[in-house]
Each structure stands twice: as structure tokens, then as C-alpha cells.
Amino acid sequence: MSGALHLIPVSLGEAPPERWLPADVRALAGRLDTYIAENAKTARAFLKLIGTTRPLQEITIHTLTDKTDAAQIKTWLDPIKRGAEIGLVSEAGCPAVADPGAKVVDAAHRLGIAVKPWVGPSSILLGLMASGLDGQRFAFHGYAPVDASERAKQLRAWEQHSAKHNQTQLLIETPYRNAAMFATLLATLKGDTKLCIARSVTTADEWVVTHTVADWKKLPAPQLDKLPTLFLYLAR
């Protein structure tokens, strides 16, 4: 028998599952009896939303943390060699993309285990698609430094790199600091740099808008508080 590690995307926010996950992926996710996840509670919420073929209490969920070592991951994956199928989910969006699940996928490859990625939401790609910025050359940085001076310095460095290489820069922020990040971007970046705000993609609150920094300064600040937001910019 040939098993597999299935990489199953989850929601980016509150929205009906049929809006963001294909029916065949929902069916697959609903029949698996073992998962690896960052948070068992949110993984169970995902499974409850899509529906499962067995009671939730009968589904095993291994919790992946920063302290999970290679030996533990190998133990979780070993049943796949005997034909088992295991799902890997992220806290939001695609597993293993800007996500600690990447080390599970790496372990699977080293063990000779089949890895199967499934179609679903990725805020990085969806935001890039809708931004109108360069989609051929881009870099996702995750979080900018927390310290204000270091943050501004890094944002300017990314802007210079963007101008030199025509490369779109992408970053995220802790949702409750989104407004502060937006203000920092306006205060730091050049006026002709294009800035896109991609908020709550795939949900009822979805809002994706691109303007130059100079034009953003003329407009009311968008409502971003506690909403998942992707920031993208491209310098000239």
C-alpha cells in the first residue's frame, strides 16, 4: 500500500467552506483519521466546518510546536510507510508556506514519503494576484522588525531592493498592529511607490486596493484592526 502526507489548506477567515475549498479536497479532509497541526483546537474547528466521516473525538491530531524534534515527526510519519494517510494543516491558508509545517514536509521527503499538495487559499498568492503589482518577481518577508527604527530601516531597504529589481515586497503584521504598520508604511515609503492593502481575502470583509503612497495619504485610513491583512508594495 502507498500512503501519503496530504497538505490541506484551511480558511483565511470566516466564510463557507465551499467558497474556498474544492469539494474533492473537503471529501479527502473529511475522511482522514490523523492530522498534524499547530493547534488542535483550530484543527478540530476546521474539521467540524467541513464535516468528517467519523466522530471528531476519534481523529488523532498531533500538535506541532517549535519544540517538536525530528524524532517525534518521524514517529508521526512512520505509519504512512505502511499505507496510512495523514493530513497537515496550517493555522490559516496553505500549510508549509510561511508556516512551520515545512519541516514536516522536509522530513517526509527525507523518509521517501509521498507528499500531495491540495488546492486552497493562499493569502500571499491571492493578494499578489489582486494587487496589480509585479507577479513575476516578488519576495515574502513575513514580519518586519518590531522596533520602530529598525522597522523603518528595513522597510526602506526592501523598497530600495524593489526599485532595483522591480520586485514586489510582501509582508504581514499581527492583526492588532495593522493600523500602526499602515501608518509606518505611509511615513517611510516614497510617494510614488505603489502600496496594496489586501484585507480578509476570501471572506465577507475582503478588500483589496492599490494606490501610490502619495494617494493613500489623501484618503481615510482603511479599517484593518484585528483583520488579517497582507501588505504589498512595488517601488519605481
Side-chain angles (χ1 to χ4, degrees), residues 84-131:
E85 294 181 291
I86 294 177
L88 174 67
V89 292
S90 174
E91 277 294 271
C94 293
V97 177
D99 175 73
K103 63 182 180 181
V104 177
V105 178
D106 177 59
H109 285 299
R110 286 187 281 106
L111 293 169
I113 289 171
V115 175
K116 295 189 177 182
W118 292 91
V119 173
S122 164
S123 62
I124 297 170
L125 290 180
L126 292 172
L128 187 62
M129 288 164 59
S131 70

Side-chain angles (χ1 to χ4, degrees), residues 119-171:
V119 173
S122 164
S123 62
I124 297 170
L125 290 180
L126 292 172
L128 187 62
M129 288 164 59
S131 70
L133 305 182
D134 195 298
Q136 188 166 337
R137 291 167 294 275
F138 58 92
F140 175 69
H141 300 290
Y143 295 93
V146 174
D147 178 78
S149 60
E150 288 299 316
R151 169 178 292 192
K153 180 180 179 181
Q154 184 63 78
L155 292 175
R156 282 192 291 269
W158 288 338
E159 184 182 39
Q160 291 169 4
H161 190 85
S162 175
K164 182 177 181 180
H165 299 283
N166 195 39
Q167 183 188 70
T168 301
Q169 310 297 298
L170 300 89
L171 63 145

Side-chain angles (χ1 to χ4, degrees), residues 22-60:
D24 58 343
V25 186
R26 298 200 304 272
L28 167 72
R31 69 172 174 78
L32 297 180
D33 62 10
T34 305
Y35 275 87
I36 298 173
E38 289 181 78
N39 186 303
K41 182 178 179 180
T42 54
R44 290 191 183 96
F46 162 68
L47 293 173
K48 182 177 180 180
L49 182 65
I50 64 170
T52 58
T53 58
R54 69 193 74 221
L56 282 175
Q57 58 268 30
E58 294 181 10
I59 297 175
T60 299

